Amino acid sequence: MAESAASQQAQPVRESFGSRLAAAMLDRGPLCVGIDPHPQLLADWGLNDDVAGLERFSLTVVEAVASLAAAVKPQVALYERHGSAGMAVLERVLAASAEAGVLSIADAKRGDIGSTMAAYADAWLRDGSSLAADSVTLSPYLGFESLRPALDLAAQYGRGVFVLALTSNPEGKSVQHVGGEQSVARRIVSAAAAENQRYEGVLGSVGLVVGATIGSALTDLDIELGPVRGAILAPGLGAQGATPADLRATFADAYPQVLATSSRGILAAGPSAAALRDAAEETLAGLRS
Ligand SMILES: O=c1ccn([C@@H]2O[C@H](COP(=O)(O)O)[C@@H](O)[C@H]2O)c(=O)[nH]1
């Protein structure tokens, strides 16, 4: 007899990332603080656009928000632009986040053919890698199945992935909305739901990125997020214009799965750690009300 897809999947041996994230969201609330050390923000904080400025900026954010955010999300591009020394700072930011007890999401948006994907998975998700984060963002536009090495490694190591489904930028529609009733976004959501079947009774390791700015796209494309049984990372709050009310209207019944993420909207309050905390707390209050 043919085995079902779910029973063929490797069974997770560690607590799922979804379950760890759900516990953090229950404890602290549904906020992820993005760590995006843009040159302009470094300047506004009185820091140089160099490796020392990058490190001071990033560790200040971790220290300020680690006890009140469910997760932090360093934007990898803003470390890469400083070369290998910038990536070494990112390693220290990930280590500091783990030490401070806050989950990390490396916003790397990786995606490639399977053989190369295995190397990305090793870098971001394997125990012992200096870049290993609790989770990483992935791009499925070489085909969802090309992400297989990362999907399997995440499950094996109790880590997570967030797959781009409906991104917060206006240009995303030109790819993600294509396909009518079987839109690209809908297929990605279904594939994520199938992956999470390997988990029983808890949120699985595969989350999705669905922007807070997408308006009525879920309804227009007939997409339900509840059956995914994974966390929804929602960027777009704050600097991109979305409000907590938009999040509630957009996600409706799926709102409890949503981890809202804001970077510049909170980071603009720095460099004072107290002011950063206040900004994060104000955002959290809006998400809870
Ligand atoms: O659809 C997406 C996916 C990722 N992002 C990333 O989130 C932050 C948003 O920063 P803000 O300053 O809060 O606008 C940034 O790192 C993006 O690359 C996204 O915005 N939308």
Side-chain angles (χ1 to χ4, degrees):
M1 196 198 306
E3 280 185 292
S4 72
S7 66
Q8 286 172 19
Q9 291 171 334
Q11 294 305 302
V13 291
R14 295 193 189 164
E15 184 185 5
S16 80
F17 169 73
S19 149
R20 293 195 291 135
L21 179 59
M25 287 167 67
L26 199 64
D27 184 37
R28 298 165 183 202
L31 176 66
C32 167
V33 176
I35 310 180
D36 292 47
H38 290 283
Q40 186 57 53
L41 277 170
L42 292 169
D44 294 347
W45 282 36
L47 297 169
N48 291 330
D49 184 14
D50 61 14
V51 169
L54 185 70
E55 181 147 14
R56 167 75 77 84
F57 182 98
S58 309
L59 296 180
T60 300
V61 180
V62 172
E63 202 181 312
V65 306
S67 61
L68 55 91
V72 290
K73 183 179 75 64
Q75 173 49 255
V76 172
L78 291 160
Y79 296 84
E80 264 175 8
R81 67 181 282 280
H82 292 271
S84 59
M87 293 305 278
V89 172
L90 178 58
E91 292 175 354
R92 294 195 284 279
V93 172
L94 294 170
S97 305
E99 199 165 315
V102 63
L103 295 173
S104 55
I105 302 170
D107 196 351
K109 298 188 184 69
R110 294 300 193 250
D112 209 318
I113 63 166
S115 51
T116 305
M117 198 61 221
Y120 282 133
D122 274 350
W124 298 103
L125 297 166
R126 186 180 287 282
D127 276 3
S129 162
S130 56
L131 282 170
D134 289 296
S135 60
V136 64
T137 56
L138 301 180
S139 171
Y141 297 112
L142 275 77
F144 189 91
E145 199 50 33
S146 68
L147 305 177
R148 175 60 47 204
L151 302 171
D152 286 344
L153 212 62
Q156 183 183 345
Y157 286 107
R159 294 196 166 90
V161 301
F162 287 95
V163 181
L164 302 180
L166 284 161
T167 56
S168 67
N169 57 320
E171 305 84 0
K173 281 184 188 172
S174 66
V175 174
Q176 296 150 15
H177 288 213
V178 169
E181 283 183 2
Q182 283 303 320
S183 62
V184 171
R186 198 165 195 259
R187 285 164 183 245
I188 290 163
V189 171
S190 303
E195 273 309 299
N196 283 335
Q197 278 178 36
R198 66 173 109 195
Y199 296 93
E200 280 173 26
V202 291
L203 292 188
S205 53
V206 182
L208 293 169
V209 176
V210 179
T213 50
I214 61 162
S216 60
L218 291 172
T219 318
D220 299 346
L221 300 173
D222 194 20
I223 292 176
E224 277 190 66
L225 295 175
V228 174
R229 297 199 299 112
I232 309 299
L233 180 68
L237 186 62
Q240 292 177 52
T243 64
D246 293 330
L247 277 161
R248 285 188 178 276
T250 297
F251 292 102
D253 291 351
Y255 187 72
Q257 285 161 254
V258 172
L259 177 65
T261 180
S262 172
S263 305
R264 288 166 293 173
I266 291 173
L267 301 172
S272 147
L276 283 167
R277 263 194 295 277
D278 287 350
E281 268 167 1
E282 196 182 323
T283 308
L284 252 179
L287 294 170
R288 285 200 180 108
S289 67

